Amino acid sequence: MLSLFKAKTWSGAGWLLTLCVLLVFIAMIYTALHLCYKGTDHKKLDNMQLLNIDNVIAVYPDPDSAQLASKDPAVKKVVLAKREERDHALFNFLRNEYDGRIDEYRLKRMDGLLINLNNKDTKAYLTDTEIIVNDFFWFVGTGTYAEVLFWALIGVLVSLIYYVSIANGQSLKVAGDADTGPFDPAEISGQVSKMFYAPVCALILVLGYNLLTGSNTKMTDISVGKGLLLFSFISGFFSGRVMKFIDRLKDLVLPLGSTDSTTTDDSATTNDIDKTDEKTANITISLQLAQAMLSTPEAADIIDEGFNTAVVTLKPLTGDIITLGKPADDQSSEFTATQVPWGKYTLHAAMAFKNNDTIINLEADKDIEISDADKTFQLDLDKAAEAG
C-alpha cells in the first residue's frame, strides 16, 4: 500500500489514467452537489425591461392625495387592493422575464416592501435592486467560494492531463527545444501539490477582488457571474503564472521588507564593485546544456528535471559575490538579479544532477560586462573537470 506513494511506482500511463479518474470523480461530486443544492444568481433589469416595467405600472396609477389621507377603511381597502393588483402584475412580468426562476419566498419578501411604495418609488427600487433568481451554479453566498475551489481544481486536473499526455507521447533521445519531455515520475509530487495550492490561490484572488471592489455589505456576492467560473478555471490551468503573480505582490503588499532587502544587498555590493557612474541594471541568466552535453544519454533527464537547483553567482573584480535569485517555476532556467551595478564580472553556475547512483556535476564560467539597463546572458553548462 505504501508503495503507491512512491513516485517510481507510477508509469506515465498509470498516472494519466489516475488523473482522468480524479477529474471524472470531481465532476460527479460537483454535479451531484449542484443537483441537491440549487444555486442562485444576480440579475439586473436592463433598459428594455425597465421600460416594460413603466408600461405595467402605468396601468395602475397612484391614488390621489385625498384617498391617501382618508381614514375610511373602505377607501384604504381600495388603495391596498390597487397596489396588490399592481404588484401581482409586476411579479407576473418578472416571472415571465426569468422563466419562473425567481424564488417565491423572495417574491413574498419583495411584496411586503412594494405594497407600501408608490409607483415612482417602486420603479426606483426595481431599478437599483438585483433580482435573485434560481440557477444551477452558486453565485450568491458562501457557495461562491466553493465554485472557485471546484473550478480551479478542475483547471489543474485538465492542465496535468494535457501535460502528461504530451509527455507520454514524446520519446526524446536527445535534448531539443520542445516545451515538454518524456514523463518523469519525480514530477508527480509537484503535480499533486498543485491540486492543493492552486485552488487556494484562486480563492485568494477572488477575495482580493471583493476587497478592491469595496462590496462591504455583501462580501460573498461576485458580480461577474459565469465569468467567475472561467477565471477560476484559468487560474487552475495556469497555476504557475498565478504563483508568479502572487509572488510579485509582495513588493506591493510588503514594500518595507522588499526595500530593506534591496537596501541591504546594495550596501553590501555597491561600495566595493567597480561600477560605471553608479548605474545599475536588471540582468537575467539563461542556463542550458553545452553542445557536448546534448549528445549524452542523461541530457534529456537533466532538461526534464530543470535547472532550478543550480547556483548562479556574479563575482566582481573586487567586493562580495552576488547570488542570483532562483526561478519561481520549477521548469524555468532563467535566474535574475536586480539593481546590479555596471561593471565587469565573472559569471559562474554550478549544479549537481543525480543519475541513479551517480552524481553528475555541471558547471560553467563566463566573463561578462554589464553596461545596459536590462541585459540577458546565456550560460552553457558542461561536466565539471572533476566529475567522473
Side-chain angles (χ1 to χ4, degrees):
M1 182 66 180
L2 293 178
S3 62
L4 293 176
F5 294 96
K6 297 181 179 180
K8 292 183 178 180
T9 304
W10 294 88
S11 64
W15 180 237
L16 179 61
L17 178 61
T18 301
L19 290 173
C20 292
V21 171
L22 276 175
L23 180 60
V24 172
F25 181 67
I26 294 299
M28 292 175 61
I29 292 178
Y30 178 84
T31 304
L33 287 174
H34 283 69
L35 291 176
C36 294
Y37 304 97
K38 297 296 183 181
T40 49
D41 192 9
H42 307 85
K43 297 294 182 181
K44 288 279 287 187
L45 295 173
D46 58 31
N47 292 333
M48 183 58 67
Q49 289 172 326
L50 290 174
L51 181 61
N52 290 329
I53 289 289
D54 283 334
N55 296 333
V56 173
I57 290 178
V59 179
Y60 305 93
D62 284 328
D64 55 37
S65 57
Q67 289 177 311
L68 292 175
S70 175
K71 296 183 179 180
D72 187 348
V75 174
K76 289 185 176 182
K77 185 175 181 180
V78 170
V79 171
L80 184 62
K82 284 292 183 181
R83 286 189 173 172
E84 287 178 346
E85 290 180 13
R86 178 201 67 185
D87 294 348
H88 182 70
L90 288 174
F91 295 156
N92 284 338
F93 169 77
L94 293 176
R95 289 190 187 97
N96 181 69
E97 286 295 304
Y98 297 113
D99 299 324
R101 291 188 294 141
I102 301 180
D103 187 74
E104 291 300 321
Y105 171 72
R106 297 179 188 274
L107 285 182
K108 289 181 180 180
R109 290 180 56 189
M110 188 182 297
D111 185 33
L113 174 64
L114 297 183
I115 197 70
N116 299 313
L117 301 180
N118 58 33
N119 289 347
K120 181 180 178 180
D121 293 339
T122 297
K123 169 69 180 301
Y125 175 80
L126 293 176
T127 300
D128 296 333
T129 299
E130 292 179 332
I131 307 298
I132 307 298
V133 299
N134 294 325
D135 198 277
F136 178 78
F137 302 102
W138 302 327
F139 290 135
V140 180
T142 54
T144 302
Y145 298 145
E147 291 284 359
V148 175
L149 295 174
F150 266 116
W151 280 96
L153 179 57
I154 291 173
V156 171
L157 291 173
V158 171
S159 70
L160 293 179
I161 289 172
Y162 170 76
Y163 166 75
V164 175
S165 64
I166 294 297
N168 287 343
Q170 292 184 346
S171 55
L172 300 179
K173 296 182 179 178
V174 296
D177 295 329
D179 293 334
T180 58
F183 175 76
D184 184 0
E187 298 178 1
I188 291 180
S189 59
Q191 294 175 4
V192 171
S193 67
K194 279 187 179 182
M195 301 179 196
F196 291 91
Y197 70 70
V200 174
C201 290
L203 181 59
I204 292 300
L205 293 182
V206 170
L207 292 173
Y209 167 83
N210 273 332
L211 180 63
L212 293 176
T213 54
S215 52
N216 295 327
T217 58
K218 46 181 183 179
M219 284 298 292
T220 56
D221 292 351
I222 307 297
S223 61
V224 293
K226 292 179 176 62
L228 175 69
L229 308 184
L230 178 62
F231 171 79
S232 302
F233 178 85
I234 292 177
S235 296
F237 196 93
F238 299 104
S239 55
R241 295 197 176 188
V242 172
M243 289 300 295
K244 287 183 179 179
F245 172 75
I246 294 179
D247 182 64
R248 291 175 182 173
L249 281 180
K250 69 178 183 295
D251 295 331
L252 177 63
V253 179
L254 303 171
L256 184 59
S258 178
T259 303
D260 287 347
S261 176
T262 303
T263 303
T264 302
D265 291 341
D266 288 346
S267 63
T269 57
T270 57
N271 290 334
D272 301 318
I273 296 177
D274 178 24
K275 51 194 178 294
T276 307
D277 297 331
E278 298 293 333
K279 294 182 179 179
T280 62
N282 299 327
I283 68 168
T284 300
I285 307 301
S286 179
L287 297 183
Q288 66 177 26
L289 291 182
Q291 192 64 34
M293 278 295 300
L294 291 177
S295 59
T296 60
E298 60 271 8
D301 292 333
I302 295 174
I303 293 177
D304 190 40
E305 184 169 312
F307 299 95
N308 204 37
T309 59
V311 176
V312 182
T313 60
L314 284 173
K315 182 179 180 181
L317 297 179
T318 59
D320 297 329
I321 294 176
I322 302 173
T323 301
L324 277 69
K326 291 182 178 294
D329 190 348
D330 291 344
Q331 301 301 315
S332 177
S333 61
E334 294 186 347
F335 292 70
T336 57
T338 59
Q339 297 185 356
V340 178
W342 286 13
K344 295 181 179 180
Y345 297 84
T346 298
L347 177 60
H348 176 77
M351 186 182 84
F353 173 74
K354 185 176 182 181
N355 184 22
N356 296 324
D357 295 330
T358 305
I359 301 296
I360 300 175
N361 293 312
L362 303 173
E363 66 176 7
D365 291 283
K366 186 177 184 180
D367 292 330
I368 63 172
E369 182 174 359
I370 301 175
S371 57
D372 294 319
D374 295 287
K375 190 72 172 178
T376 300
F377 298 95
Q378 181 176 302
L379 197 57
D380 300 334
L381 292 173
D382 203 346
K383 282 188 178 181
E386 68 273 16

